[in-house]
């Protein structure tokens, strides 16, 4: 059996360079989730490693398939030095464990809520899951396994998360784009919503 996590880490290193820090979190009844930190100038990227070890399973399925199903890892990018964003390691590990703990499939357009600030003083407790394929290319695996997708996380304020629930992910992303919102600013205010 192929070592999916070794391939995932190699893909992350190819795309983002060498990690300058890593932390591991294990929750009762789940497999270990690591979070790797990559620094690129004034941008810090946090990537999970462990979420893709098992495929995500449709909660309506009677049995979990150990091979088939979507696989993903999460990537968060923020500006360095503006907030204590290294405290996001545990919340990211919590988000990465949701497929195992809650039996959900994390996919683009989904909202994930941690229930507390992502880091001390953060105006965000939830994230919007964006489309993969940009920063880190999808990692193709041998059939019948599905590719590992590296899903960017876009922090949302409480108001943005509520607006997204009503209007949808695409409208929120369009609003951010139209207003030139810096989604990497760890201290940014909510975009203007009407």
């Amino acid at each position: 059996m192929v070592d999916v996590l070794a391939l995932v880490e190699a893909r992350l290193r190819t795309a983002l360079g060498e990690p300058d820090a890593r932390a591991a979190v294990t929750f009762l009844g789940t497999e270990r989730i690591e979070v790797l930190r990559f620094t690129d100038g004034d941008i810090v990227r946090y990537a999970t490693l462990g979420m893709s070890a098992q495929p995500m399973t449709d909660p309506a399925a009677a049995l979990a398939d150990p091979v088939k199903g979507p696989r993903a890892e999460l990537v968060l990018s923020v500006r360095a030095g503006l907030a204590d964003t290294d405290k996001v390691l545990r919340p990211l590990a919590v988000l990465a464990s949701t497929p195992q703990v809650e039996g959900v499939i994390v996919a683009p357009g989904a909202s994930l809520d941690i229930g507390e600030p992502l880091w001390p003083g953060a105006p965000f407790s939830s994230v919007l899951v964006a489309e993969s394929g940009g920063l880190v290319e999808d990692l193709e695996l041998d059939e019948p396994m599905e590719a590992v997708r590296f899903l960017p996380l876009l922090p949302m304020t409480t108001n943005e998360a509520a607006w997204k629930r009503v209007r949808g992910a695409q409208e929120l992303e369009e609003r951010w784009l139209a207003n030139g919102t810096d989604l990497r600013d760890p201290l940014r205010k909510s975009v203007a919503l009407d």
Side-chain angles (χ1 to χ4, degrees):
M1 187 69 178
V2 65
D3 184 351
V4 173
L5 295 185
L7 295 173
V8 167
E9 185 168 354
R11 175 58 54 95
L12 286 169
R13 288 171 184 267
T14 300
L16 305 176
E18 286 298 311
D20 59 7
R22 66 192 309 147
V25 180
T26 305
F27 303 102
L28 188 64
T30 66
E31 295 194 28
R32 171 182 159 123
I33 302 285
E34 287 189 85
V35 179
L36 283 57
R37 183 182 72 190
F38 301 87
T39 305
D40 181 16
D42 69 337
I43 302 295
V44 179
R45 301 186 201 287
Y46 302 94
T48 63
L49 179 63
M51 182 177 169
S52 63
Q54 301 294 324
M56 293 181 272
T57 303
D58 184 331
L63 290 172
D65 189 313
V67 178
K68 294 181 185 174
R71 294 175 190 257
E73 295 291 353
L74 309 175
V75 181
L76 174 69
S77 300
V78 292
R79 294 206 179 282
L82 302 176
D84 189 8
T85 56
D86 280 349
K87 297 283 197 275
V88 78
L89 301 177
R90 184 171 174 75
L92 266 182
V94 168
L95 294 176
S97 69
T98 54
Q100 288 181 55
V101 174
E102 297 178 21
V104 297
I105 293 179
V106 176
S111 299
L112 301 174
D113 196 319
I114 199 71
E116 59 187 46
L118 291 173
W119 51 82
F124 323 104
S125 64
S126 62
V127 292
L128 174 65
V129 181
E131 288 288 340
S132 68
L135 184 63
V136 183
E137 281 184 48
D138 294 351
L139 173 64
E140 296 297 329
L141 300 173
D142 294 335
E143 292 288 336
M145 294 188 289
E146 292 185 29
V148 176
R149 301 173 77 195
F150 297 88
L151 302 170
L153 299 180
L154 309 175
M156 294 187 292
T157 64
T158 304
N159 288 344
E160 290 168 342
W163 201 77
K164 183 257 175 196
R165 279 191 295 277
V166 174
R167 304 296 269 291
Q170 185 174 351
E171 283 201 35
L172 177 58
E173 289 186 64
E174 288 171 3
R175 179 59 58 107
W176 282 334
L177 192 59
N179 285 275
T181 306
D182 180 3
L183 296 174
R184 295 176 178 166
D185 180 351
L187 301 173
R188 76 173 178 83
K189 304 285 186 238
S190 184
V191 71
L193 304 168
D194 51 20

